[in-house]
Amino acid sequence: MLEAQYDFAAVVPGGATKAEFRAMLRNLLVERFHLRYHRETRELPLYELRVAPGGHKLKQTANEPPETNAPSFTRTPDGYLTFPRGVNTRFWGNGPRFSLRRVHTTMDEFAGALENEWLHAPVANLTGLTGQFDFYLRFDARRETPASDEPLGPPLEQSLRDQLGLVLRQSKGPHEVIVIDSFDHQAAPN
């Protein structure tokens, strides 16, 4: 397999959305490398996000103003990070202990965060929940008991169930993929 790396320098217009940026990048690859591709649907591993038996434990968005003079985060005695009220974060770790705060978040947005920030695999939102929610999640990223005396915290799946009333299950399902048919290894000049 041929491995090549390329450096790109481009100016993205101010106010461009992520979708517009992706379209610009795709057009650049098509123009400069004569990229030819097609889309197809394949059966791939994925995750399903569902409401746990007994119901969810999420709270509807409270419309609280963000804290203004608060530090960016603090650490709890058991090693997890906490964040100021009203702040939307990515998955943040303190060693193997991870925390996440979401505000004004739909379940589609949360499924997207799980997919893009943590699992790096497709996540289907099958919760049926509508509206926006505020929540705080904490979990231990380790899968095995450490050699030290430090106790192992709950993994992501258990934390989702216990703290949010959600279930994350592995499954298989149709997923659209991009298949590269051909491209030039040398970029065409500007």
Side-chain angles (χ1 to χ4, degrees):
M1 176 176 193
L2 176 66
E3 289 189 29
Q5 295 183 7
Y6 300 90
D7 291 322
F8 292 97
V11 177
V12 178
T17 65
K18 285 183 182 180
E20 290 169 334
F21 169 74
R22 286 187 199 110
M24 287 181 237
L25 181 59
R26 181 185 60 242
N27 291 339
L28 173 74
L29 294 172
V30 167
E31 268 182 44
R32 299 289 305 279
F33 291 92
H34 303 115
L35 176 71
R36 289 185 185 89
Y37 67 94
H38 68 276
R39 297 173 188 268
E40 61 184 53
T41 301
R42 292 186 181 173
E43 189 84 5
L44 296 173
L46 58 82
Y47 290 89
E48 296 176 343
L49 184 64
R50 297 179 178 271
V51 173
H56 70 84
K57 300 175 184 178
L58 297 162
K59 294 183 179 158
Q60 291 283 336
T61 292
N63 289 329
E64 293 179 345
E67 292 179 11
T68 54
N69 296 326
S72 59
F73 63 86
T74 57
R75 190 171 26 177
T76 63
D78 56 355
Y80 291 95
L81 299 177
T82 61
F83 309 97
R85 183 182 68 241
V87 174
N88 205 2
T89 71
R90 297 176 63 87
F91 288 84
W92 284 91
N94 181 31
R97 298 183 187 274
F98 279 80
S99 305
L100 167 81
R101 179 175 299 281
R102 290 291 182 188
V103 295
H104 302 279
T105 299
T106 66
M107 285 297 100
D108 282 338
E109 291 168 337
F110 182 51
L114 284 167
E115 179 174 324
N116 297 314
E117 298 173 22
W118 189 257
L119 298 170
H120 305 290
V123 177
N125 171 22
L126 302 178
T127 62
L129 298 174
T130 59
Q132 296 180 334
F133 302 92
D134 297 343
F135 55 90
Y136 171 69
L137 176 68
R138 51 191 251 169
F139 63 95
D140 196 316
R142 296 173 292 184
R143 293 291 183 182
E144 298 176 6
T145 304
S148 68
D149 291 338
E150 182 183 5
L152 188 64
L156 174 63
E157 294 83 357
Q158 181 182 342
S159 294
L160 282 168
R161 186 176 50 253
D162 295 347
Q163 297 168 34
L164 305 181
L166 300 175
V167 175
L168 189 64
R169 292 188 185 130
Q170 286 186 314
S171 183
K172 282 193 172 193
H175 194 70
E176 185 178 66
V177 296
I178 295 173
V179 179
I180 296 175
D181 299 316
S182 66
F183 66 96
D184 294 344
H185 293 280
Q186 294 294 322
N190 284 346

